[in-house]
Structure formats: structure tokens, C-alpha cells
Amino acid sequence: MQTTRSPHCFRVRSLSTPRTCCSRTPWNRVLSLALAAFIFNTTEFVPVGLLSDIASSFAMTPTQVGLIITFYAWSVALMSLPLMLLCSKIERRSLLMVTFALFIASHILTVFAWNFWMLMYSRVGVALAHAVFWSVIASLAIRVGPKDKATQSLSILTTGTALAMVMGLPLGRIIGQYLGWRITFGVIGITALVIMLLLWRLLPRLPSNHSGTLSSVPDLLRQPALVIIYFITVVVVTAHYTAYSYIEPFMQRVAAASENFTTMLLLLFGAAGILGSLVFSLFSSRYPTVLLISAIVCLMICLLLLLPLAPHNLSISLLCVIWGIAMTSVALSLQINVLSMAKDATDVAMALFSGIFNLGIGAGALLGNQVSLVLAMNNIGLVGALIALLALGICVWSAFRY
């Protein structure tokens, strides 16, 4: 009985193991892309937690250094569409490898930046890599993920983005506090190299597919609903980053919070992003419009209450959780709308979306800078809330119109 049962057992294992392996492969590929999203968003957001340290090393003020966020974001906004069109026919795995190579080389330059202008130039290199990466990553996640699981694949990708705020930004801030901000960017570069090798191993060759061409742009812009989604994007992102770009100096100077408490708030905000992606997964299919409008309302209220609740640790912590959930839900809702409206030119549509999103980041950082200089840093939340009110009005109008 032993001899007849044993071959049967081996036969079952040999048949089941490849099947299990194959079933896991699509999810592993999506997870590897989520790790890539994590490192790209970490380097975009980490200056928010290091403004004071970077400023002191170059004998500048945090408000002056904050312009690096605007410079980075507007470089992405300006180059997203041209670079995507330039790379539209390139096989996607090879394109990702070149993108990561530029990303890593730019971080090496950041580590050795001998003045503020050299730091700005190195950030332009990162921004160019960012522009290409975010133009193709959402459609790639859907392509390499399991069939009929587009929403789940995008949620995993967004979880990687949220983890940039949960782990990347706070860890980058801690490393910067104790070892120097240059070491933070060095660690990001080394981590990117590891992720690059992982992607090379896991991803198959991915020929360009439904990337679109320059002629796709007028076709996309002839869709009124899509244009409104783009407009809502730039307005709501401007509202968010007017306050969020300067949350570190705001908490330390206006609310008199400690450095450790500020780090904890950034951690809470990022963790809330994961909850936001869960909320999106649960409700986006059934109540897409209600979810988007509700999230913008929550964002507006959080910005409005930022100053009065800032001195109260428990209240500001709860506010950051709701704020993080709301902003993640908004970003995901807008992104899934763009993908659903541009199925024949997804890369062009996402390049436009990425560029417009970063236009909002740059505008918000610049507006927060000017509010801090002209009015006072106390007012960044109030100004952000007024802009969020405009986004809410556009969103409600478009919901009835379209």
C-alpha cells in the first residue's frame, strides 16, 4: 500500500505546485509594481519631512527650500506627456529599467549635491524618471495582474503609494534627523536598485499596448467629462498641497509640536492612506460619485479645522487620519475615472493625469509658500479649504451635468 500511495502523492504535488505558482505570479508582479510606486512616491514626498534639515544645511529658510517641491512637481507636469509620447513604442520592461537607472543616478547626485542649485538639478533627473513611471504604471498593473481584478490591482498599487507616507516619509525623516538628509536619499537610491532587480526578474516582456499617440490628445480632450475630471484633479490637489507641503514647519512653529510628534502625524497620515484604499475598494464600484463627493467634503473640513485643532494632540491626530483617508479616496476615484474613459489611449490619458496631478502639487506648494510669506503660515489650511470648496462645487455640478 505504501508503494501505490506514494507515487500518487508525488503526482498530485507535481501537478498542483506549478498551478499554485502560476496563480501567484500575477499578484507578485502587481506587488513588485507597488514596491516601485512606494519608492517613487517616497522620494517625491520625503522633502516634506526634511525641509528644516535641508534648509539648515544650505543656510536657507524652510519656506525657501519648499520651492523644491514646486520645482519637482512642475518638471513632472511639463514632461509627462512629451516623454510618454517619446517612449510610446518602447517595450515596457526595458523602459522601466531605463527609468530606474535614471532614478538611481539622480539620487547619487542628490547625495553629493554641493549647493542648493545642484540639489535642484538632481531632483529634475528624478522628476523625469517620475514622469515616465507614472505615465505607464497604472495600465501595467492592470495588464500584469489577474484578469477582471483591475480595481484590486489599482488598490494594491495605491497601497504602495500610501506606504510611502506610512513608512517611507517617516523613516526618511528619522534617518535625516539622526544621520543627515543626504543619507535618506542614498538609502532611497539603494532600495530602488533592489526593486529594479526584482522587476527585471518578475516582469515578462511587455510590448507597448494601447499607449496612444499625439493624435489621441485632441480625442481625449473632446470628452467633456474627462476634461472635468482633469480640472477637478488640479484644483483638489492644489487645495491639499497648499497645507500638506508645509505640515512639518506648521506643526513645529504654529502648533509648537515636538519633532517626534510631527513624525508620528506623518506616520498617521500615511497609515490612513491604506484605509483610504480599502474604503475605495469597498465603495467605488457601487457608489463612485458619492464616494468622490464625500471625500472632497471631508478634505475641505479637515483643512478648515487644521489651525483650530493643531494645538490639541488627540484632535489633530484624528484629523490627520480622516484627511489621509479622504485624499487617498479622491486620488483613486479620479484615477479610475480617467482609466475607464480612455481605454484606447490609457498611457496618454495617464500621462496627462500625472502631469495635471503634479501641476496641482506644484501650485499647492507655491501657494502655501506665498501664504506663509504674505499672510502667515497659520492660514495655509484656510486657503486650502477655500480651494477645496471650489473643487466640491465643480464635482457636484459635473455629477448632475454628466
Side-chain angles (χ1 to χ4, degrees):
M1 293 190 53
Q2 269 184 323
T3 53
T4 55
R5 187 166 53 234
S6 180
H8 178 71
C9 292
F10 279 113
R11 191 177 301 114
V12 171
R13 284 176 190 166
S14 65
L15 289 171
S16 61
T17 302
R19 189 176 300 144
T20 304
C21 177
C22 291
S23 66
R24 289 177 181 173
T25 298
W27 289 120
N28 289 339
R29 290 170 177 167
V30 173
L31 287 172
S32 68
L33 293 176
L35 287 174
F38 164 78
I39 205 64
F40 269 83
N41 271 44
T42 293
T43 202
E44 180 178 19
F45 297 134
V46 80
V48 171
L50 297 172
L51 286 183
S52 299
D53 295 323
I54 297 172
S56 63
S57 70
F58 292 119
M60 299 170 70
T61 66
T63 306
Q64 291 171 321
V65 173
L67 291 175
I68 196 174
I69 301 172
T70 296
F71 198 69
Y72 180 98
W74 282 359
S75 296
V76 176
L78 182 65
M79 296 307 297
S80 287
L81 183 59
L83 286 176
M84 199 290 306
L85 292 172
L86 188 64
C87 302
S88 63
K89 303 302 180 185
I90 300 176
E91 188 270 323
R92 289 328 194 201
R93 185 175 70 163
S94 299
L95 180 61
L96 280 179
M97 296 304 105
V98 173
T99 302
F100 264 88
L102 175 60
F103 182 90
I104 295 164
S106 300
H107 278 82
I108 294 171
L109 185 58
T110 301
V111 171
F112 294 103
W114 50 89
N115 58 40
F116 183 70
W117 286 108
M118 189 51 60
L119 176 63
M120 293 279 268
Y121 295 143
S122 71
R123 294 296 287 172
V124 170
V126 181
L128 295 179
H130 180 117
V132 174
F133 178 83
W134 282 107
S135 296
V136 301
I137 195 66
S139 58
L140 284 186
I142 293 172
R143 279 179 68 183
V144 303
K147 291 183 179 180
D148 303 320
K149 299 289 183 180
T151 300
Q152 290 87 337
S153 295
L154 281 178
S155 293
I156 291 173
L157 191 67
T158 305
T159 300
T161 302
L163 282 174
M165 294 185 179
V166 177
M167 294 167 51
L169 200 162
L171 283 175
R173 175 176 162 78
I174 291 168
I175 293 170
Q177 280 181 283
Y178 291 101
L179 299 177
W181 62 268
R182 296 175 189 274
I183 302 300
T184 296
F185 287 103
V187 171
I188 291 172
I190 293 169
T191 307
L193 177 61
V194 174
I195 295 172
M196 175 183 175
L197 296 174
L198 181 65
L199 287 169
W200 178 256
R201 178 183 177 123
L202 285 177
L203 294 182
R205 285 184 57 81
L206 295 163
S208 176
N209 184 22
H210 299 301
S211 60
T213 62
L214 185 59
S215 62
S216 305
V217 177
D219 293 335
L220 292 172
L221 296 182
R222 277 194 285 268
Q223 298 183 48
L226 181 59
V227 172
I228 288 173
I229 289 293
Y230 284 147
F231 192 62
I232 293 171
T233 299
V234 73
V235 175
V236 78
V237 173
T238 298
H240 168 66
Y241 278 94
T242 296
Y244 183 73
S245 298
Y246 294 93
I247 193 69
E248 185 235 12
F250 174 87
M251 288 305 302
Q252 293 184 14
R253 298 184 178 194
V254 176
S258 67
E259 290 189 352
N260 289 337
F261 183 73
T262 303
T263 302
M264 190 206 73
L265 277 185
L266 293 173
L267 181 66
L268 275 177
F269 191 97
I274 296 177
L275 293 177
S277 102
L278 179 61
V279 168
F280 172 78
S281 295
L282 291 174
F283 299 109
S284 63
S285 298
R286 288 177 290 175
Y287 313 107
T289 305
V290 172
L291 176 62
L292 180 57
I293 291 174
S294 301
I296 296 176
V297 169
C298 289
L299 173 65
M300 181 183 68
I301 293 172
C302 288
L303 292 171
L304 192 62
L305 295 178
L306 181 62
L307 179 60
L309 296 185
H312 309 289
N313 289 358
L314 182 60
S315 299
I316 194 66
S317 299
L318 181 60
L319 181 141
C320 281
V321 170
I322 298 171
W323 186 2
I325 292 172
M327 191 56 204
T328 302
S329 299
V330 168
L332 270 176
S333 296
L334 294 170
Q335 182 171 286
I336 200 71
N337 271 286
V338 171
L339 286 169
S340 66
M341 293 179 191
K343 292 180 179 178
D344 294 327
T346 53
D347 288 358
V348 169
M350 286 308 299
L352 287 169
F353 179 77
S354 176
I356 289 167
F357 198 98
N358 278 276
L359 184 65
I361 292 175
L366 182 60
L367 184 58
N369 169 277
Q370 292 303 301
V371 170
S372 301
L373 292 175
V374 177
L375 299 176
M377 193 172 284
N378 308 41
N379 296 304
I380 55 175
L382 175 61
V383 173
L386 291 174
I387 300 170
L389 179 61
L390 173 61
L392 177 63
I394 298 167
C395 192
V396 171
W397 172 81
S398 65
F400 283 102
R401 178 68 177 80
Y402 296 103

